[in-house]
Amino acid sequence: CYSSGDPHYRTFDGKYYDFHGTCTYQAASCDDFTVHLKNIDLYGRAPRYTYSVQLRFKGHKFTIAPRSAATMDGKRVELPYVRKFSDGDRVEVIHNGNLEILLYSKGREPSVRLVARDAGRYINADIWLQGSCASVTEGLCGSWNGNKHDDISGGSPNALGLLYQEYDAECPAPPPPYDPCHALGEAATARAEQICSTLTSNPFSSCNSLVPVGDTKEGIFNTCMVDVCQCKLDQSCACSQFDAYAEECGDRGIDLNDWRKDVEFCPFECSGGQVYLPNGALPSPSCLNRNPTVTSRARGCFCPEGEYLQEGVCVGAAQCRCLHEGVFYEP
């Protein structure tokens, strides 16, 4: 399941929909944890964006947000953060090209994986659950029962959002659905369609038969057009949807990690001395584990070889500080 762009949602069962509420909402759940998304209003109108994704487990709140912000119960923690519980369960908050939260509980490896793909002032959030949570989970991501047609409880995205809404200090009613392309007119709609047709050309076309892109009315093609129109035809606003599609294809075995090489208007800027890699090694080396065994690869921001991310900046080994459960200690 993911939230991307303004925001658009894709449920575990593949239902696409838009929802512009500006509160905190339960996105998913299982027997011992819940996952929540916080949406914000950046412009005083639709669109809205996802600001953070949060894991709630054993009375604690683990949150990741833009610009490498990670907190536990509202207090910033340094990464990599590992919280171990007396029963063997643990929560890890790490930087693997993007911020991630991993929960290991009840022998599930892991129970849930949350990823915040930094987009500057907001994130695109990815949520993976362990298979035992199927047909148990509840929230904006649907019930994961193999039937996408029952994912929108209450009959509309707004009704679904209200069902899983939590109390926030400022939590207005979600606005009615809005079509920015219609508001801009036919010429703008045609231009948005042209920009988003990248989804049907190289390099994405290799995945089209496995993961349909939809059309101008539905699917990720439609969500791409909405984002472009929201941005007054700025083509870079399509990039979040291209990246979401690449991730979905990756989940189905089609490697599109290097897609930005073929889409010149979607560069990616990294901070703190990091560089963008389409196939960075995971887990990413850190001051706590400088030579981890590589288990997979992903696109994102990584420190150059021989350097490690500390306080958002790449440093050499001699500058690594003593870290325990997200807090630095002097030797």
Side-chain angles (χ1 to χ4, degrees), residues 1-318:
C1 173
Y2 63 74
S3 165
S4 65
D6 79 337
H8 311 288
Y9 298 87
R10 182 191 181 278
T11 68
F12 292 118
D13 287 327
K15 176 69 175 179
Y16 290 90
Y17 69 94
D18 293 352
F19 173 62
H20 294 135
T22 53
C23 304
T24 299
Y25 305 91
Q26 181 175 304
S29 64
C30 206
D31 49 9
D32 57 350
F33 66 85
T34 56
V35 177
H36 301 258
L37 297 173
K38 167 66 177 176
N39 291 348
I40 57 171
D41 185 344
L42 294 178
Y43 303 109
R45 57 169 177 81
R48 273 71 183 212
Y49 297 88
T50 299
Y51 179 74
S52 65
V53 58
Q54 180 181 89
L55 169 70
R56 298 185 184 180
F57 179 67
K58 292 189 174 178
H60 297 287
K61 298 178 180 180
F62 305 89
T63 308
I64 48 180
R67 305 192 185 284
S68 299
T71 63
M72 195 277 283
D73 295 338
K75 296 181 179 180
R76 187 179 180 95
V77 295
E78 301 299 334
L79 304 182
Y81 170 88
V82 181
R83 176 64 184 270
K84 297 181 179 179
F85 297 88
S86 59
D87 60 0
D89 294 345
R90 75 181 189 275
V91 174
E92 298 181 2
V93 186
I94 58 177
H95 189 281
N96 264 345
N98 299 281
L99 283 184
E100 295 190 14
I101 298 175
L102 296 158
L103 167 64
Y104 299 87
S105 67
K106 296 186 175 181
R108 296 175 296 206
E109 300 289 323
S111 299
V112 61
R113 175 181 175 227
L114 310 177
V115 177
R117 301 186 185 281
D118 200 329
R121 298 171 67 189
Y122 65 93
I123 64 169
N124 297 320
D126 297 340
I127 301 170
W128 286 270
L129 298 183
Q130 206 268 348
S132 62
C133 298
S135 297
V136 176
T137 181
E138 297 180 343
L140 298 185
C141 287
S143 57
W144 195 12
N145 62 359
N147 179 16
K148 68 179 181 180
H149 301 294
D150 66 2
D151 282 342
I152 309 299
S153 301
S156 72
N158 281 6
L160 178 67
L162 291 172
L163 179 63
Y164 292 107
Q165 174 180 303
E166 296 199 347
Y167 173 79
D168 284 347
E170 295 183 7
C171 196
Y178 172 66
D179 183 351
C181 292
H182 178 76
L184 291 179
E186 292 184 3
T189 299
R191 174 55 180 157
E193 182 177 355
Q194 180 184 33
I195 293 170
C196 294
S197 65
T198 300
L199 284 165
T200 62
S201 60
N202 185 57
F204 302 108
S205 57
S206 63
C207 184
N208 288 173
S209 60
L210 190 63
V211 181
V213 299
D215 53 34
T216 60
K217 300 298 182 182
E218 62 180 2
I220 202 165
F221 197 102
N222 169 261
T223 60
C224 175
M225 289 181 60
V226 170
D227 280 3
V228 171
C229 289
Q230 292 281 22
C231 293
K232 310 299 183 185
L233 303 184
D234 181 347
Q235 59 186 358
S236 68
C237 288
C239 301
S240 285
Q241 299 310 312
F242 296 164
D243 198 55
Y245 186 72
E247 187 65 28
E248 190 172 350
C249 291
D251 290 343
R252 302 290 295 275
I254 304 296
D255 184 0
L256 293 178
N257 278 338
D258 204 14
W259 69 267
R260 293 181 189 271
K261 179 186 69 175
D262 297 301
V263 186
E264 62 181 13
F265 57 85
C266 288
F268 197 90
E269 296 181 1
C270 297
S271 61
Q274 298 177 88
V275 294
Y276 180 81
L277 297 177
N279 286 288
L282 301 183
S284 180
S286 69
C287 284
L288 292 184
N289 187 357
R290 299 175 190 177
N291 295 290
T293 300
V294 176
T295 58
S296 60
R297 294 188 175 274
R299 62 194 180 280
C301 295
F302 297 84
C303 288
E305 185 175 357
E307 296 185 9
Y308 313 96
L309 192 66
Q310 180 174 269
E311 297 182 282
V313 178
C314 296
V315 301

